[in-house]
Amino acid sequence: MTSTNQQISPAPLPGRVRTLVVGAGFAGLGTAIKLDENGFTDFLVVDKGSSVGGTWRDNTYPGAACDVPSQLYSFSFAPNPGWSRSFSPQPEIRAYLERTAEQSGVLDRFRFGVTVEDLTWDETAGLWTVSTDHGTVVADIVITGSGGLSEPKLPEIAGIDTFQGEVFHSARWNHDYDLAGKRVAVIGTGASSIQIVPEVAKQVAHLDVYQRTAPWVMPRKDRPYKGIERLGFRFVPFFQKAFRTGIYWGRECFVPGFVVNPKLAAPAVKLSLKNIADGISDPELRKAVTPNFQLGCKRVLISNDYYPALAQDHVDLVTDGIAEITPTGIVTQDGTTREVDAIVVATGFYTTEQPIAQHITGRDGRTLADAWRDSGMTAYKGTTISGFPNLFQIVGPNTGLGHSSMVFMIESQIAYILSALQKMGERELVSVEPRPEAQDAWNEDLQQRMQRTVWNTGGCASWYIDSHGRNTTLWPRTTYKFRSLLSDFDLDAYVVAGRQEQTAKTKENAA
Ligand code: NAP
């Protein structure tokens, strides 16, 4: 896959910037564009990859596509009249992000191929020191947009390292390996797997799909846009806006089914069961793919071709747990060995422990991972964290969604951060950090709201819930509410330091 904004070897990093942004996906790119537009031009965006795109750069598996409608899955400030279908395939989203980056004029402040190693708050100087594999940058403000679903999680299956065939994760697809005519296993039946399975099934001699938990899969209302619609998107700006608004509010209507009463999702249950019946005729297989928890407890998936793919003669659904992997195959707990040439691991990502947290050291010399060890991930408004001044996380704790577009949440957080920077400038503030009591109250309210959601009560184990049993990933209200709560930077919830306090601190430490 080629990229238009690739830098083979990054230009030297500036030693000092006002704002450092980590990550060049939707979050980092959107932040850069809005910083620039609002006159905060002194920023640097670093990304370990070779282009913008984040998850849409990294997930190149066959069949990768978005399960949020195209019109809603773009920046509000950069509409794309060129979407070809109602649900966009990954290459179109990646191309959209690359084009938006090129057209925005901010790419001169992006450095690709740069891995952030550590971010340390220097209390005396009131600055972040950011070490990377290409040198150190000192910044007043750090904004992380490093993604909630970016670090692949490999399963801890005995013997996986001994397998002599090809093994790769869904988010690190090996395009050099030809699956044609091979015996292949796919482990996992989540959002990635159900897109991979129908595509891989077309190429391989035999496919085993290892299912630990049957997911809910609704029909996918995907279709190519008609010529007239595409003309409308391109030449009648209001048409595309109205389309997007209609989809947005339609999606908001799903919220009560998740957070108030799962019985409201009864029509979705009906549609999903019909999806099984339409795709599979064998009663045993139908039974095996029928979920045993409430719809919504795990992410609701959408596909028209997953069940028909499983029903094919050369595809087997394996529901016995995996006991071990040998050099040549997979052994299930009933003692059966299935020999394979390749294993696709579609087992998800680190979600409730952010890998970047171990590398961020705050005011008291504590890492973010330490700060979250006992409580699980917590933040104020999903964005700022007590003990970590001038740090803003996009897609931070409890900002995830099961029903609508993360781009909407990202833009809400960007607006909040811009409001913070504006107020810091107006009042000549050197640092801002949420008051612990404000953060605690925010999280108590969230966890209270979580109690009755289907994510907590629906009878499943999901990546939404952390090891303390707390849902630290999802937002339990409407996205509209999130946007209104983050519309203005609420300084009274923050401990702030002005220039005088900072100078006093510096002198005190020097004495
Ligand atoms: P996932 O939803 O976490 O699914 C992982 C799958 O692997 C589950 O079926 C899980 O089973 C299984 N699994 C994990 N460990 C296993 C083990 N040791 N043995 C057997 N099975 C194991 O991961 P994902 O499918 O990559 O999706 C992650 C998220 O990315 C999605 O929820 C979604 O938010 C996003 N995503 C979106 C799209 C899209 O827009 N189209 C596409 C892909 C991903 P259990 O259910 O039993 O845990």
Side-chain angles (χ1 to χ4, degrees):
M1 177 123 353
T2 54
S3 156
T4 51
N5 43 40
Q6 203 157 16
Q7 290 167 11
I8 303 303
S9 165
L13 304 185
R16 179 80 173 85
V17 289
R18 170 81 176 137
T19 306
L20 183 102
V21 182
V22 183
F26 263 106
L29 175 61
T31 301
I33 294 172
K34 286 289 160 186
L35 284 173
D36 199 53
E37 237 177 67
N38 286 275
F40 301 110
T41 54
D42 180 12
F43 64 83
L44 177 74
V45 182
V46 291
D47 192 295
K48 60 181 188 295
S50 59
S51 67
V52 300
T55 198
W56 298 103
R57 176 198 63 215
D58 293 341
N59 282 272
T60 60
Y61 59 77
C66 189
D67 54 15
V68 174
S70 308
Q71 299 304 333
L72 202 53
Y73 207 76
S74 57
F75 291 122
S76 61
F77 53 83
N80 177 18
W83 296 126
S84 67
R85 320 182 54 83
S86 52
F87 288 90
S88 304
Q90 172 266 339
E92 274 190 45
I93 303 174
R94 184 178 183 186
Y96 161 77
L97 287 169
E98 292 184 350
R99 208 169 48 245
T100 305
E102 297 285 343
Q103 290 168 354
S104 66
V106 293
L107 278 175
D108 57 329
R109 281 151 285 169
F110 280 56
R111 298 291 183 277
F112 297 109
V114 175
T115 301
V116 169
E117 289 165 348
D118 282 300
L119 302 110
T120 307
W121 174 252
D122 178 342
E123 178 70 353
T124 308
L127 295 166
W128 283 97
T129 303
V130 182
S131 4
T132 79
D133 59 352
H134 282 74
T136 300
V137 182
V138 172
D140 298 86
I141 287 149
V142 167
I143 302 172
T144 63
S146 43
L149 297 165
S150 59
E151 280 298 317
K153 191 169 192 173
L154 297 172
E156 287 167 14
I157 299 175
I160 192 164
D161 297 336
T162 67
F163 184 66
Q164 285 171 359
E166 191 65 25
V167 189
F168 48 87
H169 189 273
S170 54
R172 300 287 181 270
W173 198 267
N174 181 357
H175 290 276
D176 295 332
Y177 184 79
D178 186 6
L179 292 168
K182 303 276 178 15
R183 296 165 304 170
V184 176
V186 173
I187 302 179
T189 53
S192 302
S193 169
I194 65 137
Q195 295 186 331
I196 290 168
V197 164
E199 292 305 314
V200 165
K202 288 178 193 159
Q203 306 170 35
V204 301
H206 186 86
L207 178 62
D208 292 322
V209 179
Y210 287 83
Q211 170 188 285
R212 192 165 66 178
T213 313
W216 284 100
V217 186
M218 290 182 65
R220 185 179 176 89
K221 289 190 185 146
D222 190 18
R223 62 176 179 86
Y225 282 128
K226 295 182 193 125
I228 184 83
E229 288 171 308
R230 298 181 68 165
L231 281 174
F233 294 148
R234 191 163 298 279
F235 297 111
V236 190
F238 173 75
F239 177 62
Q240 189 167 30
K241 212 168 174 191
F243 215 104
R244 180 182 167 103
T245 306
I247 292 171
Y248 172 77
W249 287 109
R251 293 253 150 183
E252 287 295 85
C253 295
F254 296 160
V255 174
F258 289 105
V259 305
V260 179
N261 186 352
K263 287 199 180 113
L264 295 170
V269 170
K270 223 172 157 182
L271 278 172
S272 304
L273 294 176
K274 185 172 179 312
N275 206 19
I276 296 175
D278 288 348
I280 297 173
S281 55
D282 172 23
E284 282 298 306
L285 186 56
R286 277 187 183 173
K287 200 168 151 211
V289 298
T290 302
N292 60 3
F293 56 90
Q294 276 185 317
L295 182 140
C297 183
K298 282 171 180 282
R299 188 178 173 96
V300 182
L301 312 182
I302 53 171
S303 175
N304 299 334
D305 50 7
Y306 175 62
Y307 291 132
L310 291 183
Q312 293 175 87
D313 288 343
H314 71 301
V315 179
D316 285 333
L317 182 77
V318 183
T319 54
D320 282 307
I322 299 174
E324 62 165 330
I325 295 180
T326 68
T328 56
I330 299 181
V331 185
T332 42
Q333 270 148 12
D334 63 350
T336 309
T337 301
R338 292 174 180 83
E339 303 278 323
V340 281
D341 303 305
I343 302 176
V344 175
V345 180
T347 48
F349 301 86
Y350 286 96
T351 53
T352 54
E353 321 99 66
Q354 288 181 6
I356 197 174
Q358 314 165 25
H359 303 284
I360 302 180
T361 305
R363 193 163 30 72
D364 301 325
R366 274 206 318 168
T367 66
L368 191 49
D370 285 337
W372 284 345
R373 200 168 307 286
D374 298 327
S375 64
M377 297 193 303
T378 52
Y380 179 61
K381 299 198 168 178
T383 312
T384 52
I385 303 149
S386 171
F388 297 82
N390 292 6
L391 175 72
F392 298 88
Q393 278 209 322
I394 301 186
V395 192
N398 292 106
T399 57
L401 299 177
H403 74 286
S404 190
S405 173
M406 279 310 294
V407 185
F408 186 91
M409 300 300 269
I410 287 170
E411 284 193 42
S412 307
Q413 290 192 276
I414 293 173
Y416 187 65
I417 297 168
L418 284 177
S419 170
L421 299 192
Q422 267 144 7
K423 289 192 178 174
M424 286 175 80
E426 282 158 19
R427 287 157 215 232
E428 300 196 346
L429 299 177
V430 174
S431 68
V432 293
E433 174 192 342
R435 295 181 185 281
E437 59 276 20
Q439 185 171 319
D440 290 347
W442 174 264
N443 285 289
E444 272 160 33
D445 177 63
L446 276 181
Q447 292 306 323
Q448 188 63 32
R449 288 175 189 279
M450 286 298 175
Q451 295 310 313
R452 62 179 179 171
T453 66
V454 69
W455 310 310
N456 282 40
T457 63
C460 74
S462 79
W463 61 254
Y464 300 152
I465 313 281
D466 71 7
S467 57
H468 309 281
R470 287 158 54 98
N471 184 334
T472 56
T473 51
L474 293 186
W475 172 245
R477 308 180 74 178
T478 60
T479 62
Y480 177 75
K481 188 71 193 174
F482 186 75
R483 177 151 294 186
S484 75
L485 288 169
L486 273 76
S487 61
D488 183 45
F489 188 70
D490 41 351
L491 266 178
D492 52 353
Y494 284 79
V495 179
V496 300
R499 281 194 205 295
Q500 280 178 346
E501 287 100 323
Q502 189 58 50
T503 311
K505 243 187 261 177
T506 312
K507 279 189 186 150
E508 196 181 298
N509 280 307

